[in-house]
Amino acid sequence: MRRAVCPGSFDPVTNGHIDIVGRASRLFDEVIVGVLINQSKSGMFTVDERLEMLSEVTAPYKNVRVMAFHGLLVDFCRDQGAEVVVKGIRAVSDFDYELQMAQMNIGLSGVETLFMPTNPLYSFVSSSLIKDVVKWGGDASAYLPDPVLARLVNRLKQN
């Protein structure tokens, strides 16, 4: 079975993330969306909330599952039997950083990285940018799945 991991913080998950996951789901028998638990960062959404949102918006992809992990991505990949990491690349600046990570990952464990160019519709979209747009009353509906947008709007109203 060919299994891949799409890792990230997904705080929150955007349509750009979902585009990459959906495209990866056509290339691999199984795709695991790995939500990184980073103790040193406090996100807008808890890990459990991110897992819930991701599970909801990836439900149409029957070969996708969502899991949290901490520690090294290569250890998570090994534990899950995944030999490939799929990363979306928006710009050259993403590639510079991600190439270093990919080279370290293959050196540590032999895990390959597949760089997938982002759909041009989402090439400028980041979770932090979207949070700012919504915070200041902008319309981010083209960049977030509906249930995620609703949660984000509600969360920002609480703050």
Side-chain angles (χ1 to χ4, degrees):
M1 173 180 278
R2 293 182 339 211
R3 186 174 289 140
V5 171
C6 289
S9 58
F10 305 102
D11 189 37
V13 58
T14 68
N15 287 341
H17 293 129
I18 299 306
D19 177 62
I20 297 295
V21 169
R23 289 163 56 200
S25 76
R26 293 191 303 269
L27 299 174
F28 295 93
D29 298 317
E30 183 177 37
V31 174
I32 302 165
V33 178
V35 179
L36 175 64
I37 300 170
N38 188 341
Q39 306 292 1
S40 63
K41 279 183 160 181
S42 63
M44 177 163 287
F45 294 98
T46 67
V47 171
D48 287 340
E49 289 171 322
R50 287 182 252 163
L51 291 170
E52 287 174 21
M53 286 186 281
L54 278 159
S55 294
E56 182 175 359
V57 300
T58 61
Y61 306 106
K62 300 305 177 199
N63 63 334
V64 172
R65 61 185 164 109
V66 178
M67 299 178 68
F69 75 97
H70 58 82
L72 293 176
L73 174 59
V74 293
D75 291 340
F76 178 69
C77 289
R78 183 194 64 240
D79 293 346
Q80 298 306 313
E83 297 178 352
V84 178
V85 171
V86 176
K87 298 291 290 195
I89 300 292
R90 296 172 295 189
V92 172
S93 57
D94 284 351
F95 181 75
D96 287 342
Y97 174 75
E98 294 296 345
L99 179 61
Q100 293 174 30
M101 298 288 288
Q103 290 170 331
M104 180 61 76
N105 289 344
I106 200 162
L108 288 172
S109 69
V111 170
E112 295 285 356
T113 300
L114 171 66
F115 295 120
M116 191 174 287
T118 302
N119 181 321
L121 294 172
Y122 310 119
S123 64
F124 59 91
V125 174
S126 69
S127 294
S128 55
L129 178 61
I130 294 302
K131 287 186 275 195
D132 282 344
V133 167
V134 173
K135 176 182 176 181
W136 297 110
D139 180 9
S141 59
Y143 311 111
L144 293 173
D146 290 340
V148 175
L149 178 61
R151 281 184 143 180
L152 179 58
V153 168
N154 287 337
R155 179 61 46 89
L156 289 169
K157 284 180 185 177
Q158 296 170 2
N159 293 338

